Amino acid sequence: MASRDLIGQAKGILMERHKISEHEAFLLLTKVSSKTNTKLREVAEEFVSTGALPGTVTD
């Protein structure tokens, strides 16, 4: 249950930040999860905590 809430928070942040749909936000999270070989929950947790998606370069 907590994982679902965390993923929902991450989706909401992505939706607001990038003006994308809920579906697109979920696809982005799953793409990062697959690319980095990291569980979706862990990707969401890091994104909510740091504001950066794992495996992406930020300036």
Side-chain angles (χ1 to χ4, degrees):
M1 193 62 121
S3 293
R4 188 169 60 186
D5 289 342
L6 194 58
I7 293 167
Q9 287 176 21
K11 288 191 309 185
I13 295 168
L14 286 169
M15 291 167 60
E16 174 59 28
R17 197 178 280 180
H18 300 288
K19 305 299 185 223
I20 59 177
S21 71
E22 182 178 359
H23 179 71
E24 291 169 318
F26 184 74
L27 288 177
L28 179 57
L29 289 170
T30 57
K31 182 178 178 181
V32 170
S33 172
S34 178
K35 182 179 174 184
T36 61
N37 195 28
T38 308
K39 291 182 180 181
L40 181 59
R41 178 191 53 75
E42 293 172 2
V43 170
E45 182 175 30
E46 182 170 338
F47 179 65
V48 169
S49 296
T50 67
L53 288 169
T56 59
V57 177
T58 58
D59 293 318

